[in-house]
Amino acid sequence: MKAMRIALLGAGTVASGVVRVLQRNQDELCRRAGRGIEVVAVAARDAAKARRAIGETLALTDDFMGLATREDVDIVAELMGGIEPARELVLAAIRAGKHVVTANKALLALHGNEIFAAAQEHGVMVAFEAAVAGGIPIIKAVREGLAANRIEWVAGIINGTTNFILSSMRDKGVDFATALAEAQRLGYAEADPTFDIDGVDAAHKITILCAIAFGVPVQFDRVHVQGIRDLETADIRYAEQLGYRIKLLGITRRAEDGIELRVHPTLIPATRLVANVEGAMNAVVVQGDAVGSTLFYGKGAGSEPTASSVIADLVDITRLHTADPEHRVPHLAFQPGALADTPILAMPQVRTSYYLRIHVRDEAGVLAEITHILAEHGMSIDALLQRPSGEDDQHTDVILLTHETLEQRMDQALARIQALDTVLAPVVRLRKEELR
Ligand code: NDP
Ligand code: HSE
């Protein structure tokens, strides 16, 4: 049978992995897919750089649009990143009847609804396994493997760069900048690493997971995003003393009045498996009503791990492309006409528990005032530590863990605590999840 013909847009970290793995495993892939999978050409703007990445044998072009719409191409793999021209090229490929594979979570989080609607209209598949958690087949797992379930929540370490930085800072004592430079050298970081550090990359990914877990449109504008830039080592240390690790988590949860969708540094019990995911590794916990808790672990970035997911999509499309479009797996797991309009909750409506570090003057009654305010706002304390802040014996850090409450209540209580004369610095507030 004629081989499936692939166009690669971009010749960077992921594309070079795709080329290598396709070449290395071509016999096995042919046996899996039922026919060969062949790269017809690669589009790149810097030919010399591209040659270093993909070798000398494949055809190269700088005409991205020409390749994306070329008549003899069956699947376009968009491995460039960014919004434009990736969006324009993907839409042009779809309109030209090509199936699309993309690793571009930013594009899907922002323009997924438009892209999936166009794909639906033109009867083509858009596959995006590599866009979330690199080499972990989490999209397929949630969309297909867990299809029986009403998903309750998804929580994941879905950015390798920040996990690598947090692990290096905690274990090796290296500073933030050194850890980031190493993550960049290893090819984990985005072209713009602020996307990693500020939680934006994780927000792109949890937005996509939210859509396929709950059958809602992709809504990047509704996600609450907080990165690790301001995280202090003191809080990592205090969290450990209380039996917790701090991880940058993407969380989406079905609540009574809507869906929670958030990314922030999160305390999780050190005894949870996911708390022990270190370095650039990713892990996603999915809680379903039938299956219970499931954990997916693996490399969330890097050339060949990401290529593993891109090629899995190429194989899937090769197997399914002759199927009637009506009978294919829906892009967003639920039938396009059956997407729900469940609202994404604003942060004040979210329920979670908290870690507070309050830097206070060390005098009688301070703790009583703080706990009194928390009690007035209906908050119950789970654990408490007091530690000298290192300045002198007149100042101290009070560290509190609360039980679950509404974020709005915490906002109100914190405003009052912050206004106390005895509170000497901005209160550090981190969220805590037990992930039961
Ligand atoms: P790279 O920067 O290594 O490669 C991108 C390629 O696309 C390069 O050839 C680059 O050219 C080209 N390119 C980028 N922008 C343009 C443009 N505007 N016009 C023409 N060519 C362009 O990126 P990665 O391979 O790391 O990432 C590719 C995609 O995969 C991104 O969406 C990323 O988020 C995603 N991804 C990456 C992972 C990873 O581990 N790296 C993991 C999971 C997903 P040039 O070299 O000239 O800049
Ligand atoms: N920059 C991303 C990360 C790459 O660090 O996880 C994988 O999407």
Side-chain angles (χ1 to χ4, degrees):
M1 203 185 292
K2 200 162 102 344
M4 215 50 183
R5 293 170 66 82
I6 318 298
L8 298 186
L9 307 184
T13 306
V14 179
S16 66
V18 169
V19 169
R20 271 195 313 281
V21 177
L22 277 178
Q23 285 168 351
R24 191 167 73 229
N25 296 343
Q26 59 179 317
D27 293 344
E28 196 91 349
L29 285 166
C30 186
R31 285 170 55 212
R32 287 184 193 274
R35 60 202 283 193
I37 296 176
E38 173 193 314
V39 175
V40 292
V42 181
R45 57 186 169 189
D46 180 336
K49 192 173 169 191
R51 281 285 170 227
R52 284 196 295 281
I54 59 155
E56 296 299 326
T57 50
L58 294 172
L60 258 187
T61 175
D62 60 3
D63 179 6
F64 284 71
M65 187 55 85
L67 183 60
T69 55
R70 204 169 103 174
E71 206 179 324
D72 63 343
V73 164
D74 300 306
I75 308 176
V76 172
E78 183 277 300
L79 306 173
M80 304 164 64
I83 303 301
E84 295 294 357
R87 173 181 157 277
E88 191 194 353
L89 290 164
V90 162
L91 288 172
I94 290 170
R95 288 190 204 108
K98 316 295 177 199
H99 303 293
V100 169
V101 173
T102 179
N104 192 336
K105 52 266 169 158
L107 178 66
L108 293 180
L110 272 74
H111 299 285
N113 299 325
E114 178 189 23
I115 288 168
F116 296 130
Q120 186 69 20
E121 187 186 339
H122 292 273
V124 297
M125 289 175 265
V126 174
F128 51 94
E129 185 64 68
V132 181
I136 306 175
I138 189 66
I139 299 297
K140 199 161 185 85
V142 175
R143 194 169 54 187
E144 296 168 51
L146 298 175
N149 290 264
R150 183 175 158 85
I151 305 288
E152 290 163 359
W153 53 263
V154 180
I157 297 171
I158 44 180
N159 182 267
T161 302
T162 43
N163 204 50
F164 182 87
I165 292 171
L166 291 176
S167 293
S168 302
M169 288 171 71
R170 194 176 61 87
D171 296 343
K172 300 182 194 152
V174 302
D175 64 24
F176 183 87
T178 310
L180 171 60
E182 180 65 356
Q184 286 177 297
R185 193 186 65 75
L186 292 167
Y188 304 144
E190 293 304 299
D192 177 357
T194 59
F195 271 31
D196 296 299
I197 299 156
D198 292 333
V200 177
D201 176 70
H204 290 147
K205 293 168 182 167
I206 198 69
T207 300
I208 297 169
L209 284 177
C210 171
I212 63 167
F214 303 121
V216 295
V218 284
Q219 297 169 73
F220 181 67
D221 56 338
R222 301 290 300 154
V223 57
H224 169 87
V225 193
Q226 181 192 345
I228 63 164
R229 197 182 283 276
D230 299 327
L231 199 60
E232 293 181 39
T233 41
D235 297 307
I236 296 176
R237 214 175 50 239
Y238 290 143
E240 289 227 272
Q241 289 171 22
L242 289 158
Y244 290 82
R245 295 263 167 93
I246 300 181
K247 296 288 181 187
L248 184 73
L249 283 194
I251 301 170
T252 185
R253 174 182 281 131
R254 195 192 289 274
E256 230 169 77
D257 306 325
I259 294 168
E260 297 178 5
L261 181 56
R262 48 195 169 103
V263 171
H264 48 68
T266 313
L267 275 79
I268 39 183
T271 48
R272 298 277 178 276
L273 282 175
V274 69
N276 294 282
V277 171
E278 302 293 359
M281 301 306 278
N282 280 198
V284 184
V285 187
V286 184
Q287 179 83 18
D289 67 338
V291 72
S293 184
T294 54
L295 172 67
F296 302 84
Y297 170 83
K299 288 188 179 157
S303 184
E304 292 201 6
T306 311
S308 167
S309 287
V310 171
I311 295 171
D313 281 345
L314 295 176
V315 170
D316 245 11
I317 293 177
T318 303
R319 286 171 174 156
L320 289 172
H321 88 118
T322 50
D324 174 355
E326 305 277 294
H327 298 117
R328 293 183 190 140
V329 180
H331 298 113
L332 286 179
F334 292 72
Q335 296 299 333
L339 291 186
D341 58 1
T342 320
I344 305 294
L345 297 174
M347 272 316 272
Q349 297 167 274
V350 162
R351 288 190 72 82
T352 185
S353 51
Y354 295 89
Y355 162 102
L356 304 176
R357 173 162 58 89
I358 312 171
H359 186 56
V360 294
R361 199 174 306 132
D362 195 4
E363 62 186 37
V366 174
L367 196 54
E369 265 185 315
I370 292 170
T371 53
H372 180 71
I373 292 174
L374 291 173
E376 280 196 340
H377 288 271
M379 266 173 278
S380 153
I381 292 167
D382 180 29
L384 193 148
L385 265 185
Q386 185 170 335
R387 288 286 181 270
S389 65
E391 284 167 54
D392 52 49
D393 58 5
Q394 285 164 22
H395 304 107
T396 190
D397 278 336
V398 172
I399 299 105
L400 288 166
L401 299 183
T402 74
H403 287 294
E404 198 178 276
T405 186
L406 203 58
E407 175 115 346
Q408 191 172 33
R409 287 190 186 177
M410 179 52 84
D411 290 342
Q412 290 163 350
L414 274 188
R416 286 180 61 195
I417 291 171
Q418 192 66 73
L420 296 173
D421 288 345
T422 45
V423 172
L424 304 172
V427 176
V428 174
R429 173 246 300 261
L430 296 171
R431 298 174 184 89
K432 171 169 90 64
E433 293 288 338
E434 295 297 326
L435 299 183
R436 289 205 180 89

Short mmCIF file of all heavy atoms in Angstrom, two decimals, residues 136-169:
data_model
loop_
_atom_site.label_atom_id
_atom_site.label_comp_id
_atom_site.label_asym_id
_atom_site.label_seq_id
_atom_site.Cartn_x
_atom_site.Cartn_y
_atom_site.Cartn_z
N ILE A 136 3.97 11.47 27.48
CA ILE A 136 2.93 10.69 28.18
C ILE A 136 1.64 10.70 27.34
O ILE A 136 1.16 11.77 26.98
CB ILE A 136 2.60 11.31 29.57
CG1 ILE A 136 3.87 11.47 30.41
CG2 ILE A 136 1.56 10.48 30.30
CD1 ILE A 136 3.62 12.18 31.75
N PRO A 137 1.09 9.53 27.05
CA PRO A 137 -0.13 9.51 26.22
C PRO A 137 -1.39 9.88 27.01
O PRO A 137 -2.35 9.13 27.09
CB PRO A 137 -0.18 8.08 25.69
CG PRO A 137 0.66 7.28 26.60
CD PRO A 137 1.62 8.18 27.30
N ILE A 138 -1.39 11.07 27.56
CA ILE A 138 -2.48 11.47 28.47
C ILE A 138 -3.75 11.87 27.70
O ILE A 138 -4.86 11.68 28.18
CB ILE A 138 -2.02 12.62 29.42
CG1 ILE A 138 -3.07 12.90 30.51
CG2 ILE A 138 -1.69 13.89 28.66
CD1 ILE A 138 -3.27 11.79 31.48
N ILE A 139 -3.56 12.41 26.48
CA ILE A 139 -4.75 12.78 25.71
C ILE A 139 -5.54 11.52 25.36
O ILE A 139 -6.75 11.44 25.57
CB ILE A 139 -4.34 13.54 24.42
CG1 ILE A 139 -3.58 14.82 24.75
CG2 ILE A 139 -5.56 13.83 23.54
CD1 ILE A 139 -4.36 15.86 25.52
N LYS A 140 -4.83 10.54 24.86
CA LYS A 140 -5.50 9.28 24.49
C LYS A 140 -6.12 8.62 25.72
O LYS A 140 -7.22 8.08 25.66
CB LYS A 140 -4.50 8.34 23.82
CG LYS A 140 -5.18 7.25 23.02
CD LYS A 140 -4.24 6.63 22.02
CE LYS A 140 -4.94 5.63 21.14
NZ LYS A 140 -5.61 6.24 19.99
N ALA A 141 -5.41 8.69 26.84
CA ALA A 141 -5.91 8.06 28.06
C ALA A 141 -7.23 8.71 28.51
O ALA A 141 -8.20 8.02 28.79
CB ALA A 141 -4.87 8.16 29.17
N VAL A 142 -7.25 10.03 28.54
CA VAL A 142 -8.46 10.72 29.03
C VAL A 142 -9.59 10.60 27.99
O VAL A 142 -10.74 10.35 28.34
CB VAL A 142 -8.16 12.21 29.34
CG1 VAL A 142 -9.43 12.95 29.73
CG2 VAL A 142 -7.13 12.32 30.45
N ARG A 143 -9.20 10.77 26.73
CA ARG A 143 -10.24 10.81 25.68
C ARG A 143 -10.81 9.43 25.39
O ARG A 143 -12.00 9.29 25.15
CB ARG A 143 -9.61 11.41 24.42
CG ARG A 143 -10.61 11.82 23.37
CD ARG A 143 -9.95 12.63 22.27
NE ARG A 143 -8.82 11.93 21.71
CZ ARG A 143 -7.98 12.46 20.82
NH1 ARG A 143 -8.15 13.71 20.42
NH2 ARG A 143 -6.99 11.78 20.33
N GLU A 144 -9.95 8.40 25.44
CA GLU A 144 -10.41 7.08 25.04
C GLU A 144 -10.36 6.06 26.19
O GLU A 144 -11.36 5.41 26.49
CB GLU A 144 -9.58 6.59 23.85
CG GLU A 144 -9.80 7.49 22.63
CD GLU A 144 -8.80 7.23 21.51
OE1 GLU A 144 -8.63 6.09 21.11
OE2 GLU A 144 -8.19 8.22 21.04
N GLY A 145 -9.19 5.95 26.84
CA GLY A 145 -9.04 4.91 27.86
C GLY A 145 -9.98 5.10 29.05
O GLY A 145 -10.40 4.13 29.68
N LEU A 146 -10.31 6.35 29.35
CA LEU A 146 -11.16 6.63 30.51
C LEU A 146 -12.56 7.08 30.09
O LEU A 146 -13.28 7.71 30.87
CB LEU A 146 -10.50 7.70 31.40
CG LEU A 146 -9.15 7.29 32.00
CD1 LEU A 146 -8.51 8.45 32.77
CD2 LEU A 146 -9.30 6.08 32.93
N ALA A 147 -12.94 6.73 28.85
CA ALA A 147 -14.22 7.23 28.31
C ALA A 147 -15.43 6.80 29.13
O ALA A 147 -16.48 7.45 29.07
CB ALA A 147 -14.38 6.78 26.86
N ALA A 148 -15.30 5.74 29.90
CA ALA A 148 -16.45 5.27 30.70
C ALA A 148 -16.77 6.21 31.85
O ALA A 148 -17.88 6.21 32.37
CB ALA A 148 -16.14 3.88 31.27
N ASN A 149 -15.79 7.00 32.23
CA ASN A 149 -15.88 7.73 33.51
C ASN A 149 -16.49 9.11 33.40
O ASN A 149 -16.35 9.80 32.38
CB ASN A 149 -14.47 7.92 34.09
CG ASN A 149 -13.89 6.62 34.58
OD1 ASN A 149 -13.97 6.32 35.75
ND2 ASN A 149 -13.35 5.83 33.66
N ARG A 150 -17.11 9.51 34.49
CA ARG A 150 -17.36 10.93 34.71
C ARG A 150 -16.11 11.41 35.44
O ARG A 150 -15.83 11.00 36.59
CB ARG A 150 -18.60 11.06 35.60
CG ARG A 150 -19.04 12.47 35.87
CD ARG A 150 -20.35 12.41 36.67
NE ARG A 150 -20.56 13.64 37.40
CZ ARG A 150 -21.13 14.73 36.90
NH1 ARG A 150 -21.57 14.74 35.66
NH2 ARG A 150 -21.27 15.81 37.64
N ILE A 151 -15.30 12.21 34.74
CA ILE A 151 -14.03 12.65 35.34
C ILE A 151 -14.34 13.65 36.45
O ILE A 151 -15.16 14.56 36.27
CB ILE A 151 -13.10 13.30 34.29
CG1 ILE A 151 -12.85 12.37 33.09
CG2 ILE A 151 -11.78 13.76 34.92
CD1 ILE A 151 -11.98 11.18 33.34
N GLU A 152 -13.70 13.47 37.60
CA GLU A 152 -13.95 14.37 38.74
C GLU A 152 -12.90 15.48 38.80
O GLU A 152 -13.23 16.63 38.99
CB GLU A 152 -14.00 13.57 40.03
CG GLU A 152 -15.26 12.71 40.06
CD GLU A 152 -15.23 11.57 41.07
OE1 GLU A 152 -14.23 11.41 41.77
OE2 GLU A 152 -16.24 10.85 41.12
N TRP A 153 -11.64 15.10 38.68
CA TRP A 153 -10.60 16.12 38.62
C TRP A 153 -9.36 15.58 37.95
O TRP A 153 -9.15 14.38 37.85
CB TRP A 153 -10.27 16.70 39.99
CG TRP A 153 -9.93 15.75 41.09
CD1 TRP A 153 -10.79 15.29 42.06
CD2 TRP A 153 -8.65 15.13 41.39
NE1 TRP A 153 -10.13 14.44 42.91
CE2 TRP A 153 -8.82 14.32 42.54
CE3 TRP A 153 -7.40 15.20 40.79
CZ2 TRP A 153 -7.78 13.58 43.10
CZ3 TRP A 153 -6.36 14.46 41.35
CH2 TRP A 153 -6.56 13.66 42.49
N VAL A 154 -8.56 16.53 37.48
CA VAL A 154 -7.27 16.21 36.87
C VAL A 154 -6.27 17.17 37.52
O VAL A 154 -6.53 18.37 37.63
CB VAL A 154 -7.29 16.46 35.34
CG1 VAL A 154 -5.93 16.14 34.73
CG2 VAL A 154 -8.39 15.66 34.66
N ALA A 155 -5.14 16.64 37.97
CA ALA A 155 -4.10 17.50 38.53
C ALA A 155 -2.76 17.00 38.03
O ALA A 155 -2.49 15.79 38.11
CB ALA A 155 -4.14 17.47 40.05
N GLY A 156 -1.94 17.90 37.52
CA GLY A 156 -0.71 17.40 36.95
C GLY A 156 0.48 18.33 37.07
O GLY A 156 0.35 19.56 37.10
N ILE A 157 1.64 17.69 37.13
CA ILE A 157 2.91 18.40 36.92
C ILE A 157 3.12 18.33 35.42
O ILE A 157 3.50 17.29 34.88
CB ILE A 157 4.05 17.69 37.68
CG1 ILE A 157 3.77 17.72 39.19
CG2 ILE A 157 5.40 18.32 37.34
CD1 ILE A 157 4.73 16.87 40.02
N ILE A 158 2.81 19.41 34.73
CA ILE A 158 2.76 19.35 33.27
C ILE A 158 3.72 20.36 32.64
O ILE A 158 3.57 20.70 31.48
CB ILE A 158 1.31 19.55 32.75
CG1 ILE A 158 0.61 20.69 33.48
CG2 ILE A 158 0.53 18.25 32.88
CD1 ILE A 158 -0.81 20.95 33.03
N ASN A 159 4.65 20.83 33.43
CA ASN A 159 5.72 21.64 32.86
C ASN A 159 7.04 21.13 33.42
O ASN A 159 7.32 21.26 34.62
CB ASN A 159 5.53 23.13 33.17
CG ASN A 159 6.63 23.96 32.53
OD1 ASN A 159 7.64 24.25 33.15
ND2 ASN A 159 6.47 24.30 31.26
N GLY A 160 7.84 20.55 32.53
CA GLY A 160 9.10 19.93 32.94
C GLY A 160 10.11 20.95 33.42
O GLY A 160 10.86 20.70 34.38
N THR A 161 10.14 22.11 32.77
CA THR A 161 11.13 23.13 33.11
C THR A 161 10.98 23.58 34.56
O THR A 161 11.95 23.62 35.32
CB THR A 161 10.98 24.34 32.16
OG1 THR A 161 11.14 23.86 30.83
CG2 THR A 161 12.00 25.42 32.44
N THR A 162 9.76 23.89 34.96
CA THR A 162 9.56 24.38 36.34
C THR A 162 9.77 23.26 37.35
O THR A 162 10.30 23.50 38.44
CB THR A 162 8.16 25.00 36.52
OG1 THR A 162 7.20 24.16 35.88
CG2 THR A 162 8.08 26.39 35.95
N ASN A 163 9.41 22.03 36.98
CA ASN A 163 9.64 20.93 37.92
C ASN A 163 11.14 20.69 38.08
O ASN A 163 11.62 20.43 39.18
CB ASN A 163 8.92 19.66 37.47
CG ASN A 163 8.65 18.74 38.63
OD1 ASN A 163 8.11 19.16 39.65
ND2 ASN A 163 9.06 17.49 38.52
N PHE A 164 11.85 20.82 36.96
CA PHE A 164 13.31 20.68 36.99
C PHE A 164 13.92 21.77 37.89
O PHE A 164 14.78 21.49 38.72
CB PHE A 164 13.83 20.81 35.55
CG PHE A 164 15.31 20.63 35.41
CD1 PHE A 164 15.87 19.37 35.24
CD2 PHE A 164 16.15 21.72 35.43
CE1 PHE A 164 17.24 19.20 35.10
CE2 PHE A 164 17.53 21.57 35.29
CZ PHE A 164 18.07 20.30 35.13
N ILE A 165 13.43 22.99 37.74
CA ILE A 165 13.96 24.10 38.54
C ILE A 165 13.65 23.88 40.03
O ILE A 165 14.54 23.99 40.88
CB ILE A 165 13.37 25.45 38.06
CG1 ILE A 165 13.90 25.78 36.66
CG2 ILE A 165 13.69 26.58 39.04
CD1 ILE A 165 13.23 26.98 36.01
N LEU A 166 12.41 23.51 40.34
CA LEU A 166 12.03 23.30 41.75
C LEU A 166 12.84 22.16 42.36
O LEU A 166 13.31 22.26 43.50
CB LEU A 166 10.53 23.00 41.86
CG LEU A 166 9.58 24.15 41.55
CD1 LEU A 166 8.13 23.68 41.59
CD2 LEU A 166 9.78 25.30 42.53
N SER A 167 13.03 21.08 41.58
CA SER A 167 13.81 19.94 42.09
C SER A 167 15.26 20.34 42.33
O SER A 167 15.84 20.00 43.36
CB SER A 167 13.80 18.78 41.08
OG SER A 167 12.53 18.25 40.98
N SER A 168 15.84 21.06 41.34
CA SER A 168 17.26 21.44 41.47
C SER A 168 17.45 22.38 42.65
O SER A 168 18.44 22.26 43.39
CB SER A 168 17.76 22.14 40.20
OG SER A 168 17.58 21.32 39.10
N MET A 169 16.53 23.31 42.84
CA MET A 169 16.66 24.26 43.95
C MET A 169 16.56 23.52 45.29
O MET A 169 17.29 23.81 46.23
CB MET A 169 15.58 25.34 43.86
CG MET A 169 15.84 26.34 42.73
SD MET A 169 14.46 27.46 42.46
CE MET A 169 14.54 28.49 43.91
#
